[in-house]
Amino acid sequence: ALCPPQPPSRPNVLSVSVEHAAVFLGGRYLKLSRQLPQTAWIIDGVRKCPSSVEEIIAAPVLKAFDAASLKFHSAGREDVDVRMLGLGRPFMLELRGAHRSALPAGGLEALQTQIAQSGVVHVRELRVTEALVQSLIKEGEDGHCKDYRAVVRLGRDVSQVELDALGRQCPVELAQLTPLRVLHRRSHASRPRSVYALRATRLAPRFASLDLTTQAGTYVKEFVHGDFGRTSPSLGDLLGCEADILQLDVLGVRTAR
């Protein structure tokens, strides 16, 4: 016969934790500083900038929803020294462990006002949304086109007539190797990209402003200076002189034509 099992020496313990489903917020952000990364910029354990777009937005949102943590998702990103202007860049916040799933009337508008007090980040169209939007943001990145404005310095004095001729060459098909400046964190590859539209305006001898619309994922800085031949053709190639970029702004992120 089978012997009965020995009685347990201590009671069994069953732990249960309950967590509210994630809350999703969507909107667009504008970045007005040339010294602010999108997310915390830390290299070898050393923080390079005191804050970031994500952290400026996250602090008041976490407090308002009494959430434990959040994940920040966006339709692409801009370099630390590039401003995000126009209507802003689409983004989403995924709030975890939130004790509130909604705010009283006017609560989201109050959050936008609070974020704007940073002086460097503004948020518009903030709203509670569905998780599906997260996948649409990520899947739509390659389907976006982006509008930029740059100030460039040229190796010779270029006439407005020469600059006007640039626009007639569009679309310009680029072959871009992974830029040297990001090669430490991006795989080495050749990427075909398109410049859909380009308009240049002479500002002064050897200086011009450049308005351009490109395929998402185009390295605009490298299109201007060529990255030691790793982007072809470059603006310098098209004008037959050296070219360098002094400043760059993103004016819009939208669905490709």
Side-chain angles (χ1 to χ4, degrees):
L2 294 176
C3 297
Q6 295 293 322
S9 58
R10 56 184 179 180
N12 294 323
V13 177
L14 178 64
S15 298
V16 177
S17 61
V18 179
E19 184 176 292
H20 194 287
V23 176
F24 294 88
L25 297 181
R28 288 174 173 265
Y29 76 79
L30 288 81
K31 188 185 80 154
L32 309 181
S33 170
R34 298 192 189 279
Q35 298 178 320
L36 186 70
Q38 187 191 69
T39 55
W41 187 13
I42 301 173
I43 299 178
D44 295 331
V46 178
R47 191 178 184 106
K48 298 298 183 179
C49 292
S51 190
S52 66
V53 172
E54 176 184 358
E55 291 165 303
I56 290 172
I57 295 174
V61 171
L62 286 170
K63 183 176 180 180
F65 283 85
D66 195 9
S69 63
L70 65 72
K71 288 186 178 180
F72 181 89
H73 310 274
S74 69
R77 62 190 300 143
E78 65 284 328
D79 289 341
V80 61
D81 60 347
V82 176
R83 296 186 300 179
M84 178 68 236
L85 305 178
L87 297 178
R89 186 182 298 277
F91 75 95
M92 168 173 280
L93 302 176
E94 181 181 351
L95 303 178
R96 294 289 185 179
H99 287 75
R100 301 186 186 97
S101 59
L103 298 181
L108 293 176
E109 290 78 6
L111 277 177
Q112 293 183 164
T113 300
Q114 189 173 352
I115 292 167
Q117 290 173 354
S118 68
V120 291
V121 176
H122 287 225
V123 168
R124 56 193 305 271
E125 301 176 10
L126 189 63
R127 64 201 183 279
V128 177
T129 186
E130 301 293 332
L132 175 62
V133 179
Q134 174 186 344
S135 61
L136 293 179
I137 284 179
K138 306 307 289 185
E139 292 171 4
E141 285 183 9
D142 290 336
H144 290 147
C145 64
K146 299 183 179 181
D147 300 317
Y148 295 92
R149 176 167 294 159
V151 175
V152 300
R153 179 175 57 209
L154 305 171
R156 64 179 177 86
D157 190 9
V158 177
S159 69
Q160 186 60 52
V161 172
E162 292 177 276
L163 294 175
D164 289 341
L166 289 172
R168 296 193 288 273
Q169 299 185 52
C170 290
V172 179
E173 303 302 325
L174 309 179
Q176 291 199 303
L177 290 174
T178 304
L180 293 174
R181 64 187 172 92
V182 300
L183 200 53
H184 65 286
R185 56 184 171 86
R186 293 286 178 86
S187 60
H188 187 269
S190 177
R191 299 171 177 83
R193 291 292 185 265
S194 297
V195 177
Y196 300 127
L198 194 159
R199 185 177 77 252
T201 303
R202 187 176 184 271
L203 299 176
R206 299 175 62 178
F207 292 89
S209 68
L210 196 66
D211 289 334
L212 60 163
T213 300
T214 73
Q215 180 182 358
T218 302
Y219 291 103
V220 175
K221 293 177 179 177
E222 282 67 27
F223 165 65
V224 172
H225 58 63
D227 199 26
F228 300 99
R230 297 173 66 82
T231 288
S232 179
S234 66
L235 178 66
D237 294 332
L238 298 177
L239 290 173
C241 66
E242 291 184 356
D244 201 2
I245 191 162
L246 301 180
Q247 65 182 39
L248 181 64
D249 293 327
V250 185
L251 301 183
V253 179
R254 53 193 172 86
T255 304
R257 298 174 295 183

